[in-house]
Amino acid sequence: MEKTDKIFVAGHRGLVGSAIVRKLTADGYTNLVVADRKELDLAKESAVAAFFAREKPEIVVLAAAKVGGIKANNDYPVEFLLENVRLQNNVISSAHAHDVRKLLFLGSSCIYPKHAPQPIREDALLTGPLEPTNDAYAIAKIAGIKLCQAYASEYGENYISAMPTNLYGPHDNFDLTSSHVLPALLRKAHEAKTNGAREIVVWGTGQPRREFLHVDDMADACVFLLENYNSPEIINVGCGEDVSIRELVELICDVVGFDGELSFDATKPDGTPRKLLEVSKLKALGWSPKIQLREGIARTYEWFLEHELAPAVAR
Ligand code: GDP
């Protein structure tokens, strides 16, 4: 990749896309192209085709997706399936039609079977049934992977797919009904501390285990893969360590400074029992993460205080 290559980052307002834009800019890539949702609706095929015809990007990072936590995925499978398939089909097919040299598609660790052996290797894909709380989203992401691989085998395209573990960081979604666990618990702990509440409610049993990667590490890995990886085979991106939800919430409470009680609401789903990625493939290429979980949570809490609370107070 040249520093002057025209790179389209789809989804630049999101958690991952915004981190990739920051990383590319910091690394001296000077020719980035982005488009706000009101300028470009990625779900509209003709709009996406016209955008590619006009902008002619050379490299594409497909970080746009409809994402959400366990509740949102469980409640709105139609939207998660339709919107993701639509936007990824439009971007990937337009990339091919307009001679994009390389495309990075971002999947998710939820593409793997619910009971995949842990840590989860890339070849566990499609070896067993999915976790039902997010199978619609997972099927959409699997369709995206398969489309990239089909373009590679049928047309020789250099479309690569990375599977991130659970991500968190600045520009995350902190809404309690649609967010993932880490930002949700950060908000709950902060609000409990601020309001003098005695306890916070944690969904499920606290026993499921999840692996968390700071999004700046993810962006670092994405740029590394753009520069160094040229295979249609999927590649996992994670830190190789997991924690239970109970351990996560205890760490969050410690960082936030909330010392009340935890109450576990077992009427809420646990989801998949464990999701830890096997990351030796990426490690062997020479990449490893830099941000420890405690430090990452502290940095995310600072961002939350500065950006999420300020507008709420003003409203
Ligand atoms: P998942 O990784 O796809 O299951 O998605 P989430 O990040 O939404 O949830 C991970 C785990 O954290 C699940 O076992 C949830 O039940 C649990 N959890 C505990 N408290 C919360 C919460 O306040 N919000 C969310 N989204 N999950 C929570």
Side-chain angles (χ1 to χ4, degrees):
M1 246 189 353
E2 303 295 325
K3 299 285 182 189
T4 52
D5 280 342
K6 191 164 194 180
I7 307 174
F8 171 41
V9 181
H12 72 290
R13 295 256 181 226
L15 173 67
V16 183
S18 60
I20 291 175
V21 167
R22 286 196 301 277
K23 174 67 183 160
L24 287 168
T25 306
D27 283 3
Y29 288 92
T30 53
N31 200 1
L32 306 188
V33 48
V34 295
D36 278 337
R37 196 171 292 211
K38 56 183 185 311
E39 276 167 57
L40 172 61
D41 181 354
L42 293 171
K44 285 216 177 87
E45 191 179 359
S46 57
V48 176
F51 176 82
F52 273 77
R54 189 176 72 239
E55 295 292 342
K56 298 188 175 50
E58 294 164 281
I59 312 280
V60 170
V61 179
L62 181 37
K66 180 174 177 59
V67 296
I70 193 164
K71 180 171 164 47
N73 270 280
N74 208 16
D75 292 352
Y76 304 108
V78 171
E79 287 72 18
F80 278 88
L81 182 48
L82 266 187
E83 283 184 36
N84 284 308
V85 167
R86 271 190 192 132
L87 73 87
Q88 73 204 23
N89 282 354
N90 292 342
V91 172
I92 297 167
S93 62
S94 277
H96 171 67
H98 295 280
D99 301 323
V100 164
R101 211 168 71 229
K102 186 166 188 175
L103 178 143
L104 169 61
F105 175 69
L106 295 175
S108 160
S109 57
C110 71
I111 58 156
Y112 292 115
K114 173 170 183 154
H115 296 296
Q118 305 284 325
I120 312 172
R121 290 158 46 109
E122 286 88 351
D123 60 11
L125 180 62
L126 293 173
T127 56
L130 297 165
E131 155 60 33
T133 51
N134 56 21
D135 60 352
Y137 177 76
I139 290 283
K141 287 293 184 184
I142 293 170
I145 294 166
K146 289 291 164 187
L147 188 59
C148 288
Q149 292 177 338
Y151 272 115
S153 71
E154 193 176 330
Y155 297 103
E157 294 289 15
N158 188 7
Y159 295 171
I160 63 173
S161 299
M163 298 308 116
T165 192
N166 293 40
L167 302 173
Y168 69 97
H171 298 277
D172 211 336
N173 170 14
F174 290 87
D175 174 82
L176 291 180
T177 57
S178 59
S179 64
H180 284 103
V181 59
L182 193 152
L185 293 176
L186 204 50
R187 175 180 283 273
K188 286 182 186 177
H190 171 78
E191 288 180 352
K193 181 181 93 168
T194 316
N195 302 335
R198 275 188 32 243
E199 65 167 32
I200 61 171
V201 176
V202 183
W203 295 354
T205 60
Q207 284 163 13
R209 299 186 69 84
R210 295 288 185 272
E211 176 189 18
F212 296 94
L213 185 73
H214 192 281
V215 74
D216 286 348
D217 272 335
M218 179 62 198
D220 193 59
C222 287
V223 175
F224 178 86
L225 291 171
L226 283 168
E227 290 170 344
N228 298 291
Y229 188 71
N230 297 297
S231 161
E233 296 302 319
I234 61 174
I235 184 161
N236 288 341
V237 184
C239 63
E241 284 170 32
D242 64 354
V243 292
S244 70
I245 298 301
R246 177 186 281 277
E247 287 163 347
L248 174 75
V249 66
E250 285 170 355
L251 188 53
I252 289 174
C253 289
D254 201 34
V255 169
V256 168
F258 171 68
D259 55 9
E261 303 292 314
L262 303 176
S263 133
F264 290 89
D265 177 1
T267 66
K268 295 282 195 305
D270 268 345
T272 208
R274 192 174 184 203
K275 246 192 306 188
L276 173 65
L277 295 179
E278 211 278 337
V279 287
S280 61
K281 191 167 158 180
L282 182 57
K283 222 172 161 190
L285 291 174
W287 186 85
S288 52
K290 297 177 187 68
I291 306 169
Q292 295 294 320
L293 185 56
R294 173 180 282 274
E295 182 202 339
I297 292 173
R299 279 162 60 168
T300 307
Y301 185 43
E302 270 172 38
W303 189 90
F304 169 80
L305 291 176
E306 200 170 320
H307 295 88
E308 284 286 310
L309 289 186
V313 171
R315 259 202 305 270

